[in-house]
Amino acid sequence: MKNFLTLLLTAFTFVTTYAQIPSGEVMEPVKWTAKVEKDSETDYTLVFNATIEDHWHMYSQFTADGGSLPLEFIFNNNEGNYELVGKAEESKTETAFNETFGVEETFWSHTATLRQKIKVTNPDNNIVQVEVGYQVCKEVCIMGSNLFEFNLSSLTAKEVKVFEEVLSGFKKKSEKQAVTTPDDENDTDPLTIFFGTLLAGLLVTFTPCVFPMIPMTVSFFIKQNSSSAAKGKFNAIFYGICIVVIYVLLSLPFHIFEGIDRNIFADISTNVYLNLFFFIIFITFAISFFGAFEITIPNSLASKADNASNSGGLIGIFFMALTLIIVSFSCTGPALGFVFGTVLSSDGGATLLSLGMFGFGLGLAFPFMIFALFPSLMSNLPKSGGWLNTVKVVFGFIELALAFKFLSNADLVLQLHLLEREVFIAIWIAVFAALTLYLFGKFSMPHDSPVPFLSVGRMLLGVLSLTFTIYLVPGLWGAPLKLMSGVLPPSTYSEAPMGFGGSGSTAAINNNELTEGAKVSVHGIIAFEDYDKGLAYAKEVNKPVMLDFTGHVCTNCRNMEENVWVNPQVLSILKNDVVLISLYCDERIDLPESEQFISEYSGRKINTVGKKWSDFQLGRYESNARPYYVLINLDETNLNDPVAYTPDIEEYLAWLKDGLSKFEK
């Protein structure tokens, strides 16, 4: 158990430092050189020389199955260009019986030479790319991967550094590698939260910090309990369950906070400093993913988890899971930030946060559990290599785009108009255009492997990124971009609020002179932002009132406005048949000193306009959901039951008509 945990920690240390430490300072017990020899016009010999540090052993291509991992050659561009002539010839090897694995192992000490003959079939191709994968062991074991590029025309060879998997920490003599209630929530769709975070958890398994651990971890449990396959599978599945439990436990303090103050999530989601903090965090992680530096958690935390794992049994497995979570933070941290940032900024409540963490943990743990149940599937896993860094860079672009969502939230709360809709869209166009160029191989990042050709997956992802970039462009001229509703700043928060060229100016509202306190809101709807002024106007025109408890950074509020309110029948009612009062519960304008008070519901000091409307909603309707819609009569009684987020147009329209019919009666 202890050895396996050390293995994880060493692997993490290598992954998180390789990008910024020169190769000579990384643990590299094997040094490689290569050359190419011309035997005839079409025949060549690729020569690989390895120098192995004292007391280390590197294993042969022909070492027995069931023991240490054999050396392997991967020829990246052989199809249609050249043919292999037999297996690579090896210099003299040594053999020794491994009592633990019960096999005769074949290996080299000090030096090794391998010679691979090839026959050229495409005279127009002069480049041969070969990746050498190997395992080298002393008291710990390391899996290395070196990429060589041979130029047959100049008879030269060079080494290209690629991602190396450090699997250290096991002693070779003993072990082998291997939701709240409707009134308390904002009605964010729990299934959307769950599946979105589940997908995030699955995606982070394809990062350099996690992916190499999957086959190793599953093999560890199965080999550790070789006498009982069922027990090995149970331990591996329990390991996955522990990952899920740990992530859910991280959300528990928020349940306590919510119990103390029901508005805590509303305050968090609209907190300027918190949104700026997430902006800086996402920018930092994006730059890290691009390869500028690596982010690590202090080793002391991992060491404590490592020591705790010595208790053995199920408790030890729990701390093994905790160690994986700690050491993989470099890659999972941005995704966790996305989970926290998304749920908190949507006023989702502690229950939705726990659901999100459950989904994320399950997504991360799923590969470990499924491969434990069906170990044969591991043979279908792609080999670790340079593609993992490509995945990391793609995540970096996504992190960069998401960072500006949090900066936009801060800008919206403060109403500074520094990051209006057009500017936001322009930034996203630039980010995803750059991502498109990267995927098409037009430029590379510091730690990328050479891309001799585009894979089908990379090409398709590039096409998807290009399509999304093109989709965003019309938004610069006022296109609604419904797919992005809730992400972009609202159309009213724009350089041209009423549309490009003034086509939607106030003239489109029949030149009606606005009543004091009224403003032109989304889709040209006349709205009030003060309850008393709006109610007075409703009595004057004898129309019912629709209270719209909303927020400047409320995602679902924007979704309703851009996908439901735009419906012609709904829009007609909101424009002509009701008086809309939009109460922004995150408005940071200070109340006059004489109007500030201590809430009898929460005990908080109410000193801003937003807190006033939030307290009003909580006190009168016992809800802090956003959006939250209430149809009231002129005597301020409810015409029907209030509703929260209702993305179904027909359902929302039926609710409006029901309230209107009762008002008329």
Side-chain angles (χ1 to χ4, degrees):
M1 184 77 67
K2 169 78 173 178
N3 297 329
F4 180 78
L5 267 292
T6 308
L7 182 154
L8 282 175
L9 292 176
T10 307
F12 172 76
T13 302
F14 184 87
V15 167
T16 55
T17 58
Y18 178 80
Q20 59 184 356
I21 299 179
S23 60
E25 296 179 26
V26 178
M27 181 184 286
E28 274 188 313
V30 180
K31 300 294 190 299
W32 288 88
T33 59
K35 63 180 181 178
V36 57
E37 298 174 352
K38 185 174 182 179
D39 302 324
S40 71
E41 288 302 316
T42 59
D43 297 326
Y44 296 83
T45 300
L46 311 179
V47 183
F48 304 85
N49 295 304
T51 301
I52 308 166
E53 291 183 5
D54 291 343
H55 310 299
W56 289 86
H57 305 292
M58 183 174 71
Y59 295 92
S60 161
Q61 304 170 93
F62 309 109
T63 193
D65 291 339
S68 298
L69 297 180
L71 182 142
E72 180 184 22
F73 288 104
I74 302 172
F75 296 85
N76 291 337
N77 65 329
N78 63 314
E79 186 173 352
N81 292 319
Y82 56 90
E83 297 175 350
L84 307 181
V85 181
K87 292 273 287 187
E89 299 175 357
E90 299 182 346
S91 60
K92 185 178 179 180
T93 57
E94 304 173 38
T95 59
F97 184 79
N98 188 306
E99 295 181 357
T100 301
F101 305 138
V103 297
E104 192 86 6
E105 293 184 322
T106 304
F107 56 89
W108 293 279
S109 301
H110 306 299
T111 62
T113 299
L114 298 104
R115 301 172 65 88
Q116 174 66 62
K117 294 183 179 296
I118 64 170
K119 187 177 187 66
V120 173
T121 58
N122 179 11
D124 294 329
N125 177 70
N126 294 314
I127 300 299
V128 175
Q129 280 196 348
V130 186
E131 184 175 350
V132 184
Y134 60 94
Q135 180 172 324
V136 57
C137 295
K138 187 170 63 173
E139 290 186 345
V140 298
C141 287
I142 294 174
M143 283 181 62
S145 180
N146 291 64
L147 179 66
F148 295 92
E149 187 173 280
F150 298 86
N151 190 319
L152 303 182
S153 61
S154 62
L155 296 183
T156 58
K158 66 177 181 179
E159 182 183 359
V160 183
K161 280 294 181 183
V162 296
F163 175 77
E164 295 183 37
E165 304 160 49
V166 177
L167 305 179
S168 75
F170 63 95
K171 288 187 173 59
K172 186 168 168 278
K173 293 182 181 179
S174 59
E175 296 180 79
K176 178 191 184 255
Q177 174 235 346
V179 183
T180 57
T181 63
D183 283 344
D184 294 327
E185 60 173 311
N186 82 326
D187 283 313
T188 299
D189 184 7
L191 286 178
T192 300
I193 292 292
F194 173 74
F195 285 112
T197 53
L198 178 70
L199 178 61
L202 286 170
L203 287 176
V204 298
T205 63
F206 293 96
T207 58
C209 311
V210 181
F211 185 79
M213 301 297 105
I214 297 174
M216 181 188 63
T217 305
V218 174
S219 298
F220 171 79
F221 285 116
I222 293 177
K223 298 284 176 129
Q224 185 189 44
N225 300 276
S226 56
S227 60
S228 174
K231 183 178 179 181
K233 291 182 178 182
F234 171 80
N235 287 346
I237 292 173
F238 182 74
Y239 175 82
I241 293 173
C242 289
I243 293 175
V244 177
V245 169
I246 291 169
Y247 278 115
V248 172
L249 288 175
L250 293 175
S251 69
L252 293 186
F254 291 89
H255 289 266
I256 300 174
F257 301 151
E258 190 175 45
I260 297 173
D261 184 356
R262 291 176 64 186
N263 279 314
I264 186 68
F265 279 86
D267 292 343
I268 289 175
S269 67
T270 60
N271 186 281
V272 172
Y273 299 107
L274 185 63
N275 277 286
L276 290 176
F277 171 76
F278 272 115
F279 168 72
I280 294 171
I281 288 294
F282 273 53
I283 288 288
T284 303
F285 271 112
I287 297 173
S288 172
F289 275 22
F290 291 151
F293 53 82
E294 291 290 337
I295 299 172
T296 63
I297 278 185
N299 287 335
S300 58
L301 294 178
S303 298
K304 290 179 181 178
D306 184 1
N307 293 333
S309 70
N310 289 328
S311 56
L314 298 181
I315 294 178
I317 293 175
F318 175 84
F319 282 101
M320 287 174 62
L322 178 60
T323 302
L324 174 68
I325 290 171
I326 292 173
V327 301
S328 64
F329 177 77
S330 175
C331 295
T332 61
L336 277 177
F338 170 75
V339 173
F340 271 88
T342 300
V343 177
L344 295 183
S345 66
S346 66
D347 305 328
T351 301
L352 283 186
L353 179 60
S354 293
L355 181 64
M357 297 300 282
F358 173 77
F360 182 81
L362 184 61
L364 180 61
F366 181 77
F368 293 93
M369 295 188 288
I370 198 67
F371 288 118
L373 290 174
F374 308 101
S376 62
L377 294 178
M378 285 195 293
S379 62
N380 298 320
L381 280 175
K383 294 183 180 296
S384 299
W387 66 272
L388 285 172
N389 192 71
T390 300
V391 171
K392 198 172 181 180
V393 171
V394 171
F395 283 169
F397 279 106
I398 295 173
E399 291 288 327
L400 183 62
L402 291 176
F404 286 94
K405 171 58 181 171
F406 294 102
L407 184 62
S408 173
N409 287 346
D411 184 55
L412 283 165
V413 170
L414 295 176
Q415 293 289 289
L416 297 176
H417 287 266
L418 298 177
L419 197 60
E420 293 181 320
R421 186 180 177 93
E422 294 89 347
V423 178
F424 186 97
I425 292 173
I427 291 173
W428 271 46
I429 289 173
V431 170
F432 285 97
L435 173 58
T436 301
L437 293 174
Y438 172 76
L439 290 170
F440 285 148
K442 299 303 180 182
F443 66 91
S444 60
M445 291 299 186
H447 307 296
D448 282 334
S449 299
V451 183
F453 58 88
L454 288 183
S455 65
V456 173
R458 183 164 180 162
M459 183 273 293
L460 292 176
L461 190 59
V463 170
L464 180 63
S465 178
L466 176 61
T467 302
F468 181 66
T469 304
I470 295 172
Y471 170 78
L472 291 175
V473 172
L476 295 173
W477 289 274
L481 303 182
K482 290 186 178 181
L483 290 178
M484 299 294 293
S485 61
V487 177
L488 300 176
S491 57
T492 53
Y493 197 77
S494 167
E495 294 179 3
M498 304 312 298
F500 180 70
S503 58
S505 65
T506 53
I509 315 174
N510 299 322
N511 292 319
N512 288 335
E513 188 173 331
L514 295 179
T515 303
E516 180 184 358
K519 59 173 287 187
V520 180
S521 184
V522 62
H523 308 311
I525 302 170
I526 302 300
F528 290 82
E529 294 182 0
D530 181 274
Y531 179 81
D532 294 327
K533 292 180 179 178
L535 180 62
Y537 180 75
K539 292 178 178 179
E540 180 182 333
V541 296
N542 193 35
K543 291 182 180 180
V545 169
M546 190 180 92
L547 298 179
D548 166 31
F549 291 97
T550 184
H552 292 298
V553 295
C554 171
T555 298
N556 282 338
C557 302
R558 303 294 87 75
N559 286 335
M560 288 294 296
E561 293 167 3
E562 296 172 23
N563 295 301
V564 178
W565 285 15
V566 75
N567 175 268
Q569 290 180 276
V570 173
L571 187 59
S572 176
I573 292 175
L574 296 180
K575 280 187 172 182
N576 304 311
D577 301 327
V578 300
V579 173
L580 178 65
I581 303 179
S582 295
L583 304 177
Y584 286 84
C585 298
D586 58 3
E587 181 61 72
R588 293 306 176 101
I589 297 176
D590 289 333
L591 287 170
E593 193 72 31
S594 59
E595 296 181 20
Q596 297 181 13
F597 62 96
I598 303 298
S599 171
E600 61 180 285
Y601 309 108
S602 64
R604 299 191 309 168
K605 182 176 183 179
I606 307 302
N607 55 5
T608 67
V609 172
K611 289 181 180 179
K612 173 184 175 180
W613 300 134
S614 182
D615 188 72
F616 173 68
Q617 178 188 3
L618 185 62
R620 178 171 293 192
Y621 301 108
E622 297 184 351
S623 171
N624 59 0
R626 297 177 201 164
Y628 195 71
Y629 305 108
V630 188
L631 284 171
I632 64 173
N633 212 328
L634 298 180
D635 60 2
E636 301 182 65
T637 58
N638 290 1
L639 291 169
N640 54 7
D641 292 333
V643 296
Y645 180 58
T646 311
D648 186 288
I649 295 176
E650 293 301 322
E651 182 181 350
Y652 191 74
L653 183 60
W655 174 77
L656 285 172
K657 290 181 177 179
D658 176 65
L660 289 175
S661 64
K662 291 178 179 177
F663 176 79
E664 293 171 357
K665 293 178 181 179

